[in-house]
Amino acid sequence: AEKHTQTIRIATAANMQYAMRELIKEFSAHHKIGCDMIVSSSGKLTGQITAGAPYDIFVSADMKYPEEIFEKGLSFEKPKVYAYGQLVLWTTTDSISPTLETLKQDHIQHIAVANPKTAPYGVAAMQVLDKYDLMNDLKEKLVYGESIAQTNQFITSKAAEIGFTAKSVVLSPTMKNQGNYTEIDEKAYDRIRQGIVRIKRTDAENKNTRIFYNFIFSPEAQQILKTNGYAIP
Amino acid sequence: MIDWDPLVLTFKLAAITTGILLVIAVPLAYYLAYSRSKLKPILETLVSMPLVLPPTVLGFYLLVTFSPGHPIGRFIENELGIQLLFSFPGLVIGSVIYSLPFMVQPIQAGFAGLPHALKEASYVLGKSRFTTVIRVLLPNMKPALLSAVVLAFAHTVGEFGVVLMIGGNIPGRTRVASIAVYDEVEALNYDLANTYSLILFAITFLLLLLVYLFNGGYLKRLFHKMRT
Amino acid sequence: MIDWDPLVLTFKLAAITTGILLVIAVPLAYYLAYSRSKLKPILETLVSMPLVLPPTVLGFYLLVTFSPGHPIGRFIENELGIQLLFSFPGLVIGSVIYSLPFMVQPIQAGFAGLPHALKEASYVLGKSRFTTVIRVLLPNMKPALLSAVVLAFAHTVGEFGVVLMIGGNIPGRTRVASIAVYDEVEALNYDLANTYSLILFAITFLLLLLVYLFNGGYLKRLFHKMRT
Amino acid sequence: MIEISLQKKLNTADGNMMMQADFEVESGIIHTIYGASGTGKTSIFRMLAGLLTPDAGKIVVNGQTWYDAANKINRKPQQRNVGFMFQDYALFPNMSVRKNLEFALKNEQNRVIIDQLMDIIALNELQHRKPETLSGGQKQRVALARALVNKPDLVLLDEPLAALDKPMRQKLQKYVAEVQRELGFTMLLISHDVGEILKLSQGISVLENGQLSPPREPASFFTSSAVSGKFQFEAEVIHIKREGIVFILNLLVGNRLIKIVAQPDDVENLHVGDQVIVASKGFNPLIYKV
Amino acid sequence: MIEISLQKKLNTADGNMMMQADFEVESGIIHTIYGASGTGKTSIFRMLAGLLTPDAGKIVVNGQTWYDAANKINRKPQQRNVGFMFQDYALFPNMSVRKNLEFALKNEQNRVIIDQLMDIIALNELQHRKPETLSGGQKQRVALARALVNKPDLVLLDEPLAALDKPMRQKLQKYVAEVQRELGFTMLLISHDVGEILKLSQGISVLENGQLSPPREPASFFTSSAVSGKFQFEAEVIHIKREGIVFILNLLVGNRLIKIVAQPDDVENLHVGDQVIVASKGFNPLIYKV
Ligand SMILES: Nc1ncnc2c1ncn2[C@@H]1O[C@H](COP(=O)(O)OP(=O)(O)OP(=O)(O)O)[C@@H](O)[C@H]1O
Ligand SMILES: Nc1ncnc2c1ncn2[C@@H]1O[C@H](COP(=O)(O)OP(=O)(O)OP(=O)(O)O)[C@@H](O)[C@H]1O
Ligand SMILES: [Mg+2]
Ligand SMILES: [Mg+2]
């Protein structure tokens, strides 16, 4: 029980989990506050928070979900952007060069993208394809991952030869040296704004949560986010 | 706006899967029910194993196995010319693997519950094992068969972990209703999700209700009444 | 680094769920097998309905129902003082609902397959319905019972959609092994995921194997040999 | 006293038939229900045991109303305290022979009855075997014993000894008669075996065309002709053999084979399979006890 | 010709026992296997049908080896062409009476046999009923008919008529004898009914203590004493009644009740239940055909 008063629960969107692990490590080095990370899709986490999940902070992969929570009056403040996601084109097959031009080639049969309905990186990928007028040619090749995480599984298992994913993924510790990626021009898609909110579980603010919230915007934390493949505000 | 494609696909998948499962499960269950081999308990255990893994994880392993990078996947694609990933046949195979225990277990229990005399009487009358199974044993274990079929069918309708993983959620090809509902819930479109759920629920409810009415002889009685 | 908490939690959940399901399913299956009510086909259909919805979606509906914003959730929390969401009891209830068809269906088929004479003989000997079920009917449908228990148990071990949704993946409390595997796969930690899967697989395999060995009388024979 | 009046529509081999069974049986006797296959004997038993509901009628056993259509009384089988030996045994496959008997015990009941019964049915050696592994006659013996364990008010025996060989049958007939006399319960018997009926029962009712006849004395029912100082019996011709100038006839009297010597003109029109009456004007039997 | 030599360890009511059954039966006759309950009669049938594997031995039917332990020959039940009427019927619950018979037809076989058999067992009215709804004796008749449908080489009848009333039993006995004579198949019969054995079978072997006796003629086996011009039979005393200065004895001869007049000194030591021999020195029977 003692542990619980000290520990804060951080609901983390799937694509943020690698960065979050480092952030928590850094945070724990300076504060005596335990952190439990709960990873899931932003959609599920939002549903759970609406139903009263005992999470203290919600680190989302976009702004839609935290805004939903704010509008329901479940957060202490409006969601605030802590980082921008960056889109990359990634392949784990060495013989393929990950460029937009190769996508049209015949040996590319499947292109993995996240479901635009639920994942911000999916929305961005679609915008890119539209922008470069590739949509008609590639439509038949697209396979949709439920989340960015599943998109990654399509790519790493080579089930899809290539796919759009988050830069944070290809820089993650487990994937760092696997395959090749190229960054997509940031101008080709709307910025992927990732927001954070503190959850209002009781009316009283939790001091520890506040400390962590502030930490995210600290220069040290922002630096960590940057090295993990995010652009910072 | 409701998209009917996923629903059509779902019931197509469920029907085909159930059909294939029946063909596989009956001989397998027969073997498990009657074999006296020492390997039998091991096989029995293995049959239930697909259940132990979370569907997405099972789906992931299937994804890896079916991918061109894997010898099995390469073999299937090159030698048999079948494209399993992100295709309807792949969904069918995934669903068959995952729903296998639901079909095998009740049928096995059904076989095990039958008196030996039935089999013996049929053999003595010169009937082959196949004829005996089809015409004597299966018709005498209808409740078990029915529960197997209903479990497998309903489960395939609702299943989405495996299907999502190896299907790739492609509209019109592998995007089944369960994924559609899931998507809407994820996207916080609860109204649409409810609508999908309700339709899925309603259709399956009616289907199963028909099956149970038929099984209970209610339909027969109804027709009978209408005729007289 | 392997965290054993989720595994302990998983088998605790599976055991409790299976136990509760047995208690619920036997009378329910009995009713469904023997009732001649007109409502029976409807009830039969309803029992299978939890299967039709994708687990996460079912989990979502349960989440909404159990939340303090919902009359039912409020009632349970205020009047009964039970906190269902994001707690172990909630997982149990969710699993029970989702696995209900796996338990009810085979047991119902088991009852339906028994000769009427057993029941009648027991009644005539003055035995109550309860005694008859416990001492005569259930012992004569062991294969059906076994398949029900195995399906429900294995399914609860592997289930994660419902559990993830209403449990919230809280370490030590609601983070079961299936979610742990799922997480690791999601995080692309395939090695760790494999390890978890293997452990989950191995433990369940051994458990079920023991059950089947016992059921097949292999253990008895083994002990017998050892003693002689 | 057992008073029974039952009406039930049965769907028999001769089409739909209304069965009407009215009879009274004194307490403490064995009474036989006799009739052709499929006439409804087992159905009467099932109605008495509460396993089948009559269309109308009344069952009163020792003053207690078990069933009364008019007053909507219908006791459950559990509340009737009958012992029912089923025609197809209905043993519990999950229980050993002994456990099948023990299951029938009432709560407070003395268990010695089990050992006594086990002895009588001569299955001690097989007491831990499951019914599945018993022979037909062995199953029948267990079923008979089980119906007697809990000392019921009314015992219903449906062809109790049909599958048994003669010595075992005689032994059990003796036992049934004894135990009935000792414990004084009322017993209804379905049997096709005339010897058994004559030996065991004090009354007989015949079920025919859906009607149960009034009770009669079994001996008078089975004896076709009155005694008038002469000796006479019906028989079937099994074999005819010439031996010198006479013929030797093998006659089947009931289940017994007897040989008699006959004159050529007696035999003239006789064929194997014929039913005959053998009589003698002046018959002075010698009777030896064996 | 059927040559059988079977060895099988059985676990009987008297403990483990090695059963040894050696016998030869001519083709085209009916032969009875007789013996007490649980001695292994059904087991012999099961070995003949291929449902139970002997420990050792040989089965040769009409020159074809069905089983030979030494040469590891063991034909499947399907390859033996036997008709087996099971003691507990083993009807198919999912099929109607008629369908049960039709299922037994061979591919090319003429279906008229079904109608003939349905007539004979007198269940036409019930032909579309499921076995579950039949009476005990009705089931038995269906089982008997089913065993005869496909005109097997060897017919095994395990207590075929035990549950039937006398008229039905006589009718079917007649039919069995007829059909056997007509089609000429070999038939083995298990029965406890002496009359049935005498009427139907041309030979009898007795199974006792695990040994099957050599075949004998049934009549000689069941007749206890030789003929010597006098008349004599065994009987059981059922009832003794004084009538004036004489006594009237009700005697059970086999399944038949007869009455005879006896002198007081004959009756002196006699009690109900006693076995007696009735004899007469000078017996000149009158025989009337009925
Ligand atoms: N499946 C079995 N497993 C073990 N023992 C058995 C099995 N079936 C029968 N037996 C035993 O073998 C012995 C012979 O049985 P079988 O059925 O051949 O007797 P039977 O002569 O036909 O008797 P009945 O006249 O009572 O039918 C019996 O003592 C019985 O207990
Ligand atoms: N469950 C049932 N449903 C419908 N009809 C039945 C059912 N059981 C028996 N019958 C019919 O009722 C009639 C009487 O059956 P019952 O079993 O009482 O006969 P029985 O006199 O005991 O005959 P047996 O001597 O052959 O056992 C039969 O014609 C039978 O077909
Ligand atoms: Mg009957
Ligand atoms: Mg037998």
Side-chain angles (χ1 to χ4, degrees):
Chain A
E2 200 197 19
K3 195 181 157 204
H4 284 166
T5 55
Q6 283 289 318
T7 306
I8 55 172
R9 295 214 180 90
I10 305 158
T12 309
N15 82 69
M16 266 295 290
Q17 57 183 311
Y18 314 106
M20 187 55 72
R21 218 163 269 155
E22 274 187 54
L23 288 170
I24 289 173
K25 210 164 138 203
E26 173 71 19
F27 180 72
S28 305
H30 300 286
H31 302 84
K32 276 212 157 79
I33 299 170
C35 299
D36 273 348
M37 181 170 74
I38 286 129
V39 183
S40 198
S41 68
S42 299
K44 282 194 203 80
L45 291 172
T46 306
Q48 290 172 334
I49 289 164
T50 312
Y55 307 148
D56 298 294
I57 228 166
F58 176 30
V59 183
S60 174
D62 67 358
M63 293 301 280
K64 176 178 152 194
Y65 295 102
E67 259 157 19
E68 182 84 21
I69 286 169
F70 173 67
E71 271 159 30
K72 289 215 166 92
L74 295 169
S75 70
F76 283 108
E77 64 276 295
K78 274 178 92 128
K80 191 169 161 191
V81 175
Y82 62 90
Y84 295 103
Q86 289 180 294
L87 192 67
V88 298
L89 195 54
W90 185 32
T91 176
T92 51
T93 308
D94 288 335
S95 57
I96 296 173
S97 72
T99 61
L100 286 169
E101 292 78 60
T102 47
L103 293 182
K104 279 198 199 173
Q105 291 169 5
D106 279 345
H107 64 274
I108 306 284
Q109 287 182 12
H110 301 294
I111 302 163
V113 295
N115 188 350
K117 199 161 210 159
T118 54
Y121 288 92
V123 177
M126 298 315 247
Q127 287 169 346
V128 171
L129 293 180
D130 272 338
K131 170 108 186 182
Y132 292 105
D133 229 1
L134 294 165
M135 202 50 158
N136 277 338
D137 295 325
L138 300 182
K139 211 165 163 189
E140 292 294 305
K141 296 186 178 180
L142 297 183
V143 296
Y144 300 92
E146 158 225 339
S147 62
I148 197 69
Q150 201 182 3
T151 313
N152 298 333
Q153 283 145 25
F154 287 159
I155 301 169
T156 55
S157 66
K158 299 192 174 62
E161 294 82 3
I162 199 164
F164 291 94
T165 186
K167 189 177 172 191
S168 58
V169 171
V170 297
L171 293 181
S172 71
T174 39
M175 290 298 127
K176 210 166 237 161
N177 298 314
Q178 296 208 21
N180 305 304
Y181 71 94
T182 44
E183 286 185 44
I184 304 291
D185 183 1
E186 277 180 53
K187 291 188 206 76
Y189 56 94
D190 294 342
R191 295 216 287 181
I192 302 167
R193 301 185 300 147
Q194 308 205 150
I196 182 171
V197 284
R198 289 179 303 141
I199 312 297
K200 206 189 219 166
R201 290 174 62 197
T202 55
D203 283 339
E205 282 191 31
N206 181 330
K207 200 171 86 241
N208 292 342
T209 312
R210 171 103 234 167
I211 295 171
F212 187 84
Y213 183 78
N214 288 338
F215 164 76
I216 290 291
F217 294 98
S218 70
E220 300 86 8
Q222 293 282 302
Q223 184 55 43
I224 289 172
L225 284 169
K226 207 170 163 184
T227 54
N228 270 282
Y230 296 94
I232 50 175
Chain B
M1 248 304 296
I2 297 162
D3 179 4
W4 290 95
D5 275 3
L7 286 162
V8 174
L9 213 57
T10 290
F11 289 101
K12 192 173 139 198
L13 177 66
I16 294 178
T17 303
T18 309
I20 294 180
L21 273 174
L22 259 181
V23 175
I24 300 176
V26 167
L28 183 55
Y30 181 89
Y31 173 80
L32 290 178
Y34 293 122
S35 158
R36 316 185 116 257
S37 151
K38 285 208 178 127
L39 291 178
K40 180 181 134 172
I42 295 177
L43 206 62
E44 274 182 299
T45 311
L46 277 179
V47 165
S48 303
M49 279 296 120
L51 286 181
V52 170
L53 291 180
T56 15
V57 176
L58 180 69
F60 175 69
Y61 288 130
L62 290 178
L63 186 77
V64 172
T65 314
F66 292 167
S67 77
H70 194 278
I72 295 180
R74 209 172 318 134
F75 176 82
I76 295 176
E77 188 154 350
N78 296 346
E79 306 298 319
L80 309 180
I82 304 170
Q83 164 79 46
L84 284 187
L85 285 181
F86 311 119
S87 71
F88 190 74
L91 291 199
V92 171
I93 292 192
S95 301
V96 163
I97 293 176
Y98 190 51
S99 292
L100 188 68
F102 301 129
M103 195 60 114
V104 173
Q105 288 267 11
I107 298 184
Q108 183 187 342
F111 277 126
L114 289 178
H116 278 286
L118 290 183
K119 214 168 113 174
E120 294 180 347
S122 177
Y123 286 178
V124 168
L125 290 172
K127 304 304 171 189
S128 67
R129 197 188 296 197
F130 180 78
T131 309
T132 304
V133 169
I134 299 296
R135 294 201 41 208
V136 177
L137 302 187
L138 291 181
N140 283 305
M141 44 185 265
K142 269 195 207 137
L145 267 183
L146 186 69
S147 86
V149 166
V150 168
L151 282 182
F153 186 88
H155 187 256
T156 308
V157 169
E159 212 292 296
F160 86 114
V162 173
V163 157
L164 187 62
M165 197 58 121
I166 61 179
N169 197 0
I170 301 169
R173 281 207 344 244
T174 60
R175 183 180 157 90
V176 293
S178 55
I179 300 182
V181 192
Y182 174 79
D183 278 353
E184 301 304 342
V185 171
E186 284 284 295
L188 310 186
N189 293 334
Y190 296 142
D191 287 347
L192 203 51
N194 287 345
T195 313
Y196 266 123
S197 295
L198 266 179
I199 296 176
L200 201 61
F201 211 85
I203 297 179
T204 322
F205 186 89
L206 285 177
L207 269 176
L208 295 188
L209 188 62
L210 265 178
V211 169
Y212 282 117
L213 283 172
F214 182 76
N215 181 56
Y218 293 84
L219 289 189
K220 234 194 220 154
R221 263 174 270 159
L222 195 70
F223 281 125
H224 199 74
K225 254 190 209 153
M226 275 164 53
R227 243 185 290 149
T228 56
Chain C
M1 244 301 299
I2 297 164
D3 178 4
W4 290 95
D5 275 3
L7 287 162
V8 174
L9 214 54
T10 290
F11 289 102
K12 194 172 136 196
L13 177 65
I16 293 178
T17 302
T18 309
I20 293 179
L21 274 174
L22 260 181
V23 174
I24 299 175
V26 168
L28 184 55
Y30 181 89
Y31 173 80
L32 291 177
Y34 293 122
S35 158
R36 317 185 116 254
S37 150
K38 287 211 176 121
L39 292 178
K40 180 181 133 173
I42 296 177
L43 206 61
E44 274 181 300
T45 312
L46 278 179
V47 164
S48 303
M49 281 295 120
L51 286 181
V52 170
L53 292 180
T56 11
V57 176
L58 180 69
F60 171 71
Y61 288 128
L62 291 179
L63 186 76
V64 172
T65 314
F66 292 166
S67 77
H70 194 279
I72 295 180
R74 209 174 316 134
F75 175 82
I76 295 175
E77 187 152 349
N78 294 348
E79 306 298 319
L80 310 179
I82 304 169
Q83 164 79 47
L84 284 187
L85 286 182
F86 315 111
S87 70
F88 189 74
L91 291 199
V92 172
I93 291 191
S95 302
V96 163
I97 292 175
Y98 190 49
S99 293
L100 187 67
F102 301 130
M103 195 59 114
V104 172
Q105 289 266 14
I107 298 185
Q108 183 188 343
F111 277 125
L114 288 179
H116 278 288
L118 290 182
K119 216 168 112 172
E120 295 181 346
S122 176
Y123 286 179
V124 169
L125 289 171
K127 303 304 171 187
S128 67
R129 196 188 297 197
F130 181 79
T131 309
T132 304
V133 169
I134 298 295
R135 294 198 45 204
V136 177
L137 303 186
L138 291 181
N140 283 306
M141 43 186 267
K142 270 196 207 137
L145 267 183
L146 187 68
S147 85
V149 166
V150 167
L151 282 182
F153 186 89
H155 188 258
T156 308
V157 169
E159 212 292 297
F160 87 112
V162 173
V163 157
L164 182 63
M165 206 57 161
I166 62 177
N169 196 1
I170 298 168
R173 262 175 45 208
T174 59
R175 184 180 156 93
V176 294
S178 55
I179 299 183
V181 190
Y182 172 77
D183 276 355
E184 300 305 340
V185 172
E186 291 278 281
L188 310 183
N189 290 332
Y190 297 140
D191 289 347
L192 203 53
N194 288 343
T195 314
Y196 266 124
S197 292
L198 266 179
I199 296 177
L200 200 61
F201 212 83
I203 297 180
T204 321
F205 187 88
L206 285 177
L207 268 176
L208 295 188
L209 188 63
L210 265 178
V211 169
Y212 282 116
L213 283 172
F214 181 77
N215 181 55
Y218 294 84
L219 289 189
K220 234 195 219 155
R221 264 174 269 159
L222 194 73
F223 280 124
H224 199 74
K225 253 190 208 152
M226 275 165 53
R227 243 186 288 149
T228 55
Chain D
M1 181 71 119
I2 299 178
E3 299 160 66
I4 295 162
S5 162
L6 296 170
Q7 255 179 286
K8 178 85 190 171
K9 217 176 100 196
L10 291 179
N11 190 350
T12 71
D14 306 323
N16 275 329
M17 185 186 71
M18 186 51 104
M19 184 178 73
Q20 178 77 44
D22 299 322
F23 65 114
E24 288 188 10
V25 172
E26 271 174 67
S27 286
I29 71 160
I30 303 184
H31 188 90
T32 295
I33 312 258
Y34 187 75
S37 165
T39 43
K41 305 179 296 297
T42 300
S43 300
I44 293 181
F45 272 19
R46 290 175 59 80
M47 286 188 265
L48 290 175
L51 299 173
L52 184 69
T53 311
D55 296 336
K58 206 168 168 179
I59 303 173
V60 182
V61 175
N62 301 337
Q64 299 183 314
T65 306
W66 285 3
Y67 175 78
D68 185 347
N71 295 307
K72 296 213 187 323
I73 299 174
N74 190 4
R75 284 206 191 176
K76 292 196 181 131
Q78 287 97 330
Q79 300 163 334
R80 296 190 181 200
N81 198 27
V82 297
F84 193 163
M85 177 186 165
F86 291 82
Q87 194 169 8
D88 51 5
Y89 318 144
L91 299 177
F92 303 122
N94 60 312
M95 303 181 197
S96 67
V97 169
R98 173 173 276 273
K99 287 266 156 57
N100 259 283
L101 301 195
E102 285 177 351
F103 183 75
L105 283 170
K106 285 200 193 117
N107 278 337
E108 5 42 82
Q109 207 181 335
N110 194 331
R111 304 173 75 87
V112 286
I113 181 96
I114 303 288
D115 287 316
Q116 290 170 359
L117 282 167
M118 287 297 310
D119 273 349
I120 285 151
I121 60 174
L123 292 179
N124 266 316
E125 183 81 23
L126 302 181
Q127 60 177 309
H128 299 302
R129 288 255 289 266
K130 296 278 164 72
E132 190 198 5
T133 69
L134 298 182
S135 80
Q138 288 165 346
K139 280 184 211 163
Q140 196 164 45
R141 285 180 265 165
V142 179
L144 173 62
R146 193 181 63 179
L148 299 176
V149 168
N150 63 356
K151 310 196 171 161
D153 293 334
L154 175 63
V155 177
L156 307 170
L157 303 181
D158 198 345
E159 310 249 13
L161 310 167
L164 298 174
D165 55 300
K166 201 165 165 210
M168 179 58 75
R169 190 187 286 236
Q170 281 178 333
K171 179 179 160 200
L172 290 182
Q173 282 168 352
K174 212 163 175 175
Y175 171 72
V176 166
E178 260 171 39
V179 80
Q180 186 272 338
R181 230 172 290 132
E182 207 171 290
L183 298 177
F185 43 52
T186 315
M187 218 179 238
L188 294 182
L189 174 72
I190 296 176
S191 175
H192 294 302
D193 186 302
V194 179
E196 186 163 297
I197 296 171
L198 288 169
K199 267 204 240 167
L200 286 181
S201 62
Q202 284 96 54
I204 185 169
S205 303
V206 181
L207 188 58
E208 208 169 357
N209 300 324
Q211 287 293 128
L212 194 70
S213 75
R216 287 179 63 180
E217 215 223 325
S220 79
F221 176 74
F222 287 109
T223 321
S224 39
S225 49
V227 194
S228 62
K230 65 184 182 197
F231 165 88
Q232 142 173 357
F233 59 87
E234 274 182 76
E236 186 177 338
V237 180
I238 296 295
H239 195 235
I240 305 174
K241 203 170 94 190
R242 183 176 204 120
E243 198 143 289
I245 53 154
V246 294
F247 286 82
I248 302 212
L249 297 185
N250 275 342
L251 297 182
L252 187 64
V253 185
N255 263 348
R256 273 271 138 188
L257 196 73
I258 63 173
K259 298 191 180 190
I260 63 171
V261 181
Q263 302 305 316
D265 34 318
D266 282 336
V267 178
E268 208 162 336
N269 275 316
L270 235 44
H271 303 286
V272 168
D274 284 350
Q275 294 284 328
V276 294
I277 288 178
V278 181
S280 157
K281 274 251 144 56
F283 178 59
N284 292 308
L286 303 171
I287 301 167
Y288 311 102
K289 185 165 168 181
V290 289
Chain E
M1 180 73 118
I2 300 179
E3 299 159 67
I4 294 163
S5 162
L6 296 171
Q7 255 179 289
K8 179 84 190 172
K9 217 175 101 195
L10 291 180
N11 190 351
T12 72
D14 306 324
N16 275 329
M17 184 186 72
M18 186 51 105
M19 184 177 73
Q20 178 76 44
D22 299 322
F23 64 115
E24 291 187 6
V25 173
E26 271 173 67
S27 286
I29 70 158
I30 303 184
H31 188 90
T32 296
I33 311 257
Y34 188 75
S37 164
T39 43
K41 304 179 296 297
T42 299
S43 301
I44 292 181
F45 273 20
R46 291 175 58 81
M47 287 187 266
L48 290 175
L51 299 173
L52 183 68
T53 311
D55 296 337
K58 207 167 167 178
I59 302 172
V60 182
V61 175
N62 301 337
Q64 298 184 313
T65 306
W66 285 3
Y67 176 77
D68 185 348
N71 294 308
K72 296 212 190 318
I73 298 174
N74 190 4
R75 284 207 191 175
K76 291 193 181 135
Q78 287 97 332
Q79 301 163 334
R80 294 189 181 202
N81 198 26
V82 297
F84 193 162
M85 177 188 164
F86 292 82
Q87 195 169 9
D88 50 5
Y89 319 143
L91 299 177
F92 304 123
N94 60 313
M95 302 180 195
S96 66
V97 169
R98 173 173 277 272
K99 286 264 157 56
N100 259 283
L101 301 194
E102 285 177 353
F103 184 75
L105 284 170
K106 285 198 195 118
N107 278 337
E108 4 45 81
Q109 207 181 336
N110 193 331
R111 304 172 76 86
V112 286
I113 180 96
I114 303 287
D115 287 317
Q116 290 170 358
L117 282 166
M118 287 296 312
D119 273 349
I120 285 151
I121 59 174
L123 292 181
N124 265 317
E125 183 81 24
L126 302 181
Q127 60 177 309
H128 299 303
R129 287 256 290 265
K130 296 277 163 72
E132 190 198 5
T133 70
L134 298 182
S135 80
Q138 289 166 345
K139 281 184 211 165
Q140 196 163 45
R141 284 180 265 165
V142 179
L144 172 63
R146 193 182 63 181
L148 299 174
V149 168
N150 62 356
K151 307 193 172 161
D153 293 334
L154 176 63
V155 176
L156 307 170
L157 302 181
D158 198 345
E159 311 249 13
L161 310 168
L164 298 175
D165 55 300
K166 201 164 169 214
M168 180 57 73
R169 189 187 286 234
Q170 280 177 335
K171 179 179 159 198
L172 291 181
Q173 281 166 354
K174 213 164 175 172
Y175 172 71
V176 166
E178 260 170 38
V179 81
Q180 187 271 338
R181 230 173 289 134
E182 206 172 291
L183 298 176
F185 43 51
T186 315
M187 218 180 238
L188 295 180
L189 174 71
I190 296 177
S191 174
H192 295 302
D193 186 304
V194 179
E196 186 163 297
I197 297 171
L198 288 169
K199 266 202 242 166
L200 287 180
S201 63
Q202 284 97 54
I204 185 169
S205 303
V206 181
L207 188 57
E208 208 170 357
N209 301 323
Q211 288 293 127
L212 195 71
S213 76
R216 288 178 63 182
E217 214 224 327
S220 79
F221 176 74
F222 287 109
T223 322
S224 38
S225 49
V227 194
S228 60
K230 67 183 182 197
F231 165 89
Q232 138 172 358
F233 58 86
E234 274 181 75
E236 185 177 338
V237 180
I238 297 294
H239 195 236
I240 305 174
K241 202 170 96 191
R242 182 174 205 123
E243 196 143 291
I245 54 156
V246 294
F247 284 83
I248 303 213
L249 295 186
N250 274 341
L251 296 183
L252 187 65
V253 185
N255 263 346
R256 274 271 137 189
L257 195 74
I258 62 173
K259 297 191 178 188
I260 62 170
V261 181
Q263 302 305 318
D265 35 317
D266 281 336
V267 178
E268 208 163 339
N269 274 317
L270 234 46
H271 302 286
V272 168
D274 284 349
Q275 294 284 330
V276 295
I277 289 179
V278 181
S280 156
K281 272 253 141 62
F283 178 58
N284 292 310
L286 303 172
I287 301 167
Y288 311 103
K289 186 165 167 184
V290 289

